Amino acid sequence: MSRYLSKKYSGLRPYTPGEQPRDMRYVKLNTNESPFPPSPGVLKAVEAECGRLQLYSDPRSAELTAAIAESFGLEPENVLVTNGSDEILNFAFMAFADEEHPMAFPDISYGFYPVFAGLNRVPYVEIPLRGDFSIDPEDYLGIGRGIVIANPNAPTGLCLPLRDIERIVKSNPDNVVVIDEAYVDFGGESAVGLIKECGNLLVCRTFSKSRSMAGARLGFGLGSRELIEDLNRIKYSTNPYNVNRMSAAAGLAAMKEDSYYRENCLEIVAVREETGAALEALGFRVLPSKANFIFAESEKIAGGALYLALKARGILVRHFDKKRIDNFIRVTIGARAQMEEFLNAVNQILKEQT
Ligand SMILES: *Cc1c(COP(=O)(O)O)cnc(C)c1O
């Protein structure tokens, strides 16, 4: 830390991204990326856009915004496209959270929420998940705080039914409720249908997981015209050209090839169910996931030890050194062949244990 760093950031604890090591080739199952490449139209669109890089991108991302709006039965005024969904989440903290609107989110969830709260110096409470790692909706009813819930949640993969989300949103009309739907395409129920009735609901989505575009950094928020206007106020005060030309073109092309991505999601769901069953057959407890990852633990080996043993065999998964979940590993669902390699390695590791 230099002596110039502003005091307001001296206590900030930044987010720790999943590792991206370069020392060898890994079977990479640690950051919930898609095993499938983007659709063919995306490659063409990006190539065409490269020849126009001397020009600024469209600050409104008008074509992509319109395509997203149409696909959800909303108006372009209900959509804001951002540099990954991390950006829309940060914008939401900047716009809607403060001393008068403190935040609440589950104690076990996306690790960026407390970081955004810290960055924006917003008070927050972390509400404990139940013993089975599910969210108790009662904990959020009428709590008079802003709320962020990932649904499905990460890293558990567990889903809250839409009727519970609806109760939470409607019981907190004086605060914004953010539903982070990064993983909804793998089997969750979306809250987008509530936007027309609920002026305090912001739904966040990303192209990073189900749309094979983590490297493009593309996400978006959906909400009432007024909420999107507020978020635009933040955007135009930080970086009007937050989405670059290539990513906007890639996103638009992806919207036009939706069936490719839907089929990939079905395949990932099928492989997820097979992998979960195989882990259970090896004695693991596997939480019922609706995401593109599974969260599992075994009594036979500690989560940290399993993570290291897998890494030594060239397989990367995610381990969180955090109370209550430190015996678990989170495994991204990759291609079928990758999951076979993973399962073989787990099998070997367990055998060597005894
Ligand atoms: C991956 C993820 C995001 C962020 O995705 P971007 O790559 O920034 O679009 C947001 N929320 C959750 C819960 C995630 O897992």
Side-chain angles (χ1 to χ4, degrees), residues 234-247:
I234 305 291
K235 168 187 144 145
Y236 282 96
S237 306
T238 52
N239 185 7
Y241 306 105
N242 59 336
V243 175
N244 72 68
R245 279 184 167 271
M246 293 169 295
S247 296

Side-chain angles (χ1 to χ4, degrees), residues 191-264:
V192 170
L194 297 174
I195 286 173
K196 288 194 175 128
E197 296 175 65
C198 304
N200 63 327
L201 171 63
L202 180 72
V203 176
C204 298
R205 294 282 190 106
T206 177
F207 281 75
S208 295
K209 314 286 165 52
S210 58
R211 286 179 188 265
S212 301
M213 243 183 262
R217 312 306 305 128
L218 199 56
F220 55 93
L222 304 168
S224 72
R225 196 178 274 264
E226 291 80 11
L227 286 190
I228 297 299
E229 212 176 276
D230 296 340
L231 292 162
N232 265 313
R233 182 186 285 256
I234 305 291
K235 168 187 144 145
Y236 282 96
S237 306
T238 52
N239 185 7
Y241 306 105
N242 59 336
V243 175
N244 72 68
R245 279 184 167 271
M246 293 169 295
S247 296
L252 182 63
M255 295 302 294
K256 292 177 182 161
E257 292 177 321
D258 197 46
S259 62
Y260 168 83
Y261 298 99
R262 259 187 281 142
E263 292 210 354
N264 288 349

Side-chain angles (χ1 to χ4, degrees), residues 11-319:
L12 185 61
R13 282 223 271 148
Y15 178 70
T16 315
E19 56 191 327
Q20 311 278 6
R22 295 172 173 274
D23 57 331
M24 59 178 271
R25 278 177 62 111
Y26 287 93
V27 176
K28 200 167 170 305
L29 306 175
N30 69 329
T31 48
N32 300 341
E33 292 145 324
S34 173
F36 303 109
S39 51
V42 168
L43 304 186
K44 277 203 208 100
V46 169
E47 196 171 13
E49 211 52 45
C50 284
R52 294 190 273 271
L53 281 179
Q54 73 275 27
L55 303 172
Y56 279 109
S57 57
D58 170 12
R60 290 176 306 143
S61 299
E63 277 186 281
L64 175 57
T65 301
I68 292 170
E70 197 194 331
S71 79
F72 289 100
L74 295 168
E75 299 302 317
E77 291 74 22
N78 299 119
V79 181
L80 176 58
V81 180
T82 53
N83 191 313
S85 60
D86 288 338
E87 189 176 54
I88 191 86
L89 290 166
N90 185 39
F91 284 178
F93 273 83
M94 289 175 78
F96 306 124
D98 56 29
E99 298 278 335
E100 280 164 60
H101 304 273
M103 295 296 293
F105 37 82
D107 64 337
I108 298 168
S109 191
Y110 187 36
F112 231 134
Y113 304 151
V115 177
F116 290 136
L119 177 66
N120 296 294
R121 304 206 285 169
V122 169
Y124 64 95
V125 291
E126 296 182 299
I127 299 181
L129 296 180
R130 288 194 278 226
D132 63 358
F133 297 103
S134 63
I135 290 170
D136 184 350
E138 303 290 330
D139 292 341
Y140 294 85
L141 296 183
I143 59 169
R145 289 173 170 268
I147 294 168
V148 190
I149 290 176
N151 196 37
N153 197 12
T156 61
L158 300 182
C159 212
L160 210 52
L162 183 57
R163 61 175 182 281
D164 289 329
I165 297 288
E166 182 172 359
R167 285 201 298 155
I168 292 169
V169 175
K170 289 186 173 168
S171 70
N172 290 286
D174 298 328
N175 283 279
V176 172
V177 177
V178 178
I179 304 298
D180 180 352
E181 296 189 346
Y183 299 105
V184 76
D185 293 334
F186 303 102
E189 270 184 291
S190 177
V192 170
L194 297 174
I195 286 173
K196 288 194 175 128
E197 296 175 65
C198 304
N200 63 327
L201 171 63
L202 180 72
V203 176
C204 298
R205 294 282 190 106
T206 177
F207 281 75
S208 295
K209 314 286 165 52
S210 58
R211 286 179 188 265
S212 301
M213 243 183 262
R217 312 306 305 128
L218 199 56
F220 55 93
L222 304 168
S224 72
R225 196 178 274 264
E226 291 80 11
L227 286 190
I228 297 299
E229 212 176 276
D230 296 340
L231 292 162
N232 265 313
R233 182 186 285 256
I234 305 291
K235 168 187 144 145
Y236 282 96
S237 306
T238 52
N239 185 7
Y241 306 105
N242 59 336
V243 175
N244 72 68
R245 279 184 167 271
M246 293 169 295
S247 296
L252 182 63
M255 295 302 294
K256 292 177 182 161
E257 292 177 321
D258 197 46
S259 62
Y260 168 83
Y261 298 99
R262 259 187 281 142
E263 292 210 354
N264 288 349
C265 287
L266 290 176
E267 169 74 4
I268 286 168
V269 168
V271 176
R272 177 187 75 205
E273 298 306 308
E274 289 167 23
T275 307
L279 280 177
E280 280 174 349
L282 290 172
F284 278 77
R285 168 193 184 196
V286 181
L287 300 192
S289 170
K290 294 283 186 200
N292 67 338
F293 56 82
I294 45 185
F295 203 49
E297 69 167 344
S298 167
E299 284 173 4
K300 296 178 198 154
I301 184 166
L306 179 54
Y307 156 79
L308 286 174
L310 283 166
K311 189 171 177 185
R313 284 170 172 75
I315 297 169
L316 271 190
V317 299
R318 190 102 197 242
H319 173 254

